Amino acid sequence: MSTQLLFYKEAVPVSKEQHANFSIDTTQNYSFAGGVNSVPLTATEFPFAARDYVIVFAGEETPMPAAILGVQQDKNIFVSDDGHWQGRYIPAFVRRYPFVFSSSEDKSTFTLCVDKEFQGLNEDGRGERLFSEEGENSGYLEKMLSFLQEYQVQFQRTQAFCEKLKEYDLLETMQAHISMPSGSQQSLTGFQVINRDRLKALDADKLADMAKTDSLELAYLHLQSLNNFSVMVEKANAGSIGSN
């Protein structure tokens, strides 16, 4: 599994010099996400994401949360052929596209960027303008800037949660092996989950610490979400049958 920039092709800084006449077509078409099988999550999304997706942790140094969206490497089973999202909750990582922050090396400053390859980025006036006629940020651009700022705050809070999981040695490597209707086997690897026994074995002080920071609630939301594996496999199999 990978939690990099995924469907972003070439993110460039947003500027009134380069994008004065550009607009974003805000038609809700999620075809851009159809070829990924996981996306990052922030901790604040757990209560919503756990209803639809399997939440796991991916990465080496400090594993971060991700929602599994498919059993094949290049297939998101929650995006229909016509680009509609078929889950009740759309992860913020998807909703922020085509925008993303780039950070300085010391993480002290962030620059708003847009994927120049996004099909909805246009100079035809379709959708929402990025800048006003006077060269000021449009209301839409300000809204997206605020959204990404909040996303960054939540990302940092999520890092703290994951560092706690690592400190308490609660994560273990897991693999999932899935049988498809054709008889082929699909394997999901490269992710970790919370070990329930280790969580229950924590001493009182550590459990109290996790409860105080809402980490305990997040841990059990994650564990509950693992039950969605069977639902996801059924959905993937139904799609495979329909495509034969």
Side-chain angles (χ1 to χ4, degrees):
M1 290 179 59
S2 173
T3 56
Q4 299 176 4
L5 285 181
L6 302 175
F7 32 76
Y8 290 85
K9 304 300 183 184
E10 186 176 353
V12 297
V14 175
S15 70
K16 60 184 178 182
E17 290 78 19
Q18 296 294 323
H19 300 103
N21 298 317
F22 278 83
S23 298
I24 294 289
D25 185 346
T26 55
T27 303
Q28 291 187 332
N29 186 305
Y30 298 99
S31 297
F32 64 84
V36 300
N37 73 342
S38 67
V39 293
L41 285 176
T42 60
T44 191
E45 298 180 88
F46 277 33
F48 314 103
R51 298 180 300 170
D52 288 326
Y53 315 113
V54 177
I55 300 173
V56 298
F57 298 87
E60 296 182 2
E61 185 173 348
T62 299
M64 294 289 286
I68 296 181
L69 304 175
V71 298
Q72 296 171 288
Q73 190 67 30
D74 58 354
K75 175 63 176 176
N76 181 349
I77 61 175
F78 292 93
V79 174
S80 65
D81 292 340
D82 58 1
H84 286 91
W85 195 274
Q86 297 182 312
R88 288 170 289 183
Y89 177 74
I90 304 174
F93 187 92
V94 176
R95 286 184 281 123
R96 72 176 184 170
Y97 185 77
F99 297 101
V100 66
F101 272 145
S102 67
S103 62
S104 58
E105 289 189 9
D106 60 2
K107 307 293 183 182
S108 63
T109 59
F110 294 88
T111 301
L112 181 66
C113 297
V114 64
D115 186 355
K116 64 180 296 185
E117 299 300 320
F118 174 53
Q119 292 184 351
L121 182 65
N122 67 91
E123 292 184 90
D124 305 322
R126 291 182 287 110
E128 300 281 355
R129 287 184 60 93
L130 295 181
F131 295 94
S132 68
E133 296 289 349
E134 295 75 27
E136 301 296 328
N137 290 359
S138 67
Y140 168 74
L141 188 59
E142 286 294 326
K143 178 181 177 181
M144 293 307 301
L145 184 59
S146 295
F147 181 83
L148 266 75
Q149 288 170 338
E150 177 60 22
Y151 183 91
Q152 191 62 32
V153 170
Q154 295 302 331
F155 179 83
Q156 292 170 346
R157 291 175 178 172
T158 303
Q159 280 186 310
F161 164 62
C162 293
E163 287 167 359
K164 185 72 65 178
L165 297 180
K166 184 176 180 181
E167 177 187 350
Y168 290 169
D169 192 28
L170 293 176
L171 295 173
E172 65 176 347
T173 300
M174 181 179 175
Q175 297 181 359
H177 302 288
I178 299 158
S179 298
M180 303 299 287
S182 62
S184 65
Q185 294 285 323
Q186 296 289 337
S187 295
L188 290 174
T189 61
F191 66 91
Q192 298 182 61
V193 300
I194 292 175
N195 182 299
R196 186 183 292 269
D197 291 334
R198 292 183 202 169
L199 179 61
K200 292 192 294 185
L202 286 178
D203 62 42
D205 289 341
K206 291 179 179 178
L207 279 173
D209 176 47
M210 290 191 68
K212 184 177 180 180
T213 59
D214 294 329
S215 296
L216 191 58
E217 178 185 3
L218 294 172
Y220 279 109
L221 282 168
H222 150 69
L223 289 169
Q224 180 66 26
S225 81
L226 298 181
N227 294 324
N228 289 329
F229 258 120
S230 59
V231 177
M232 185 181 65
V233 170
E234 289 177 7
K235 187 175 179 65
N237 284 340
S240 297
I241 293 170
S243 62
N244 288 337

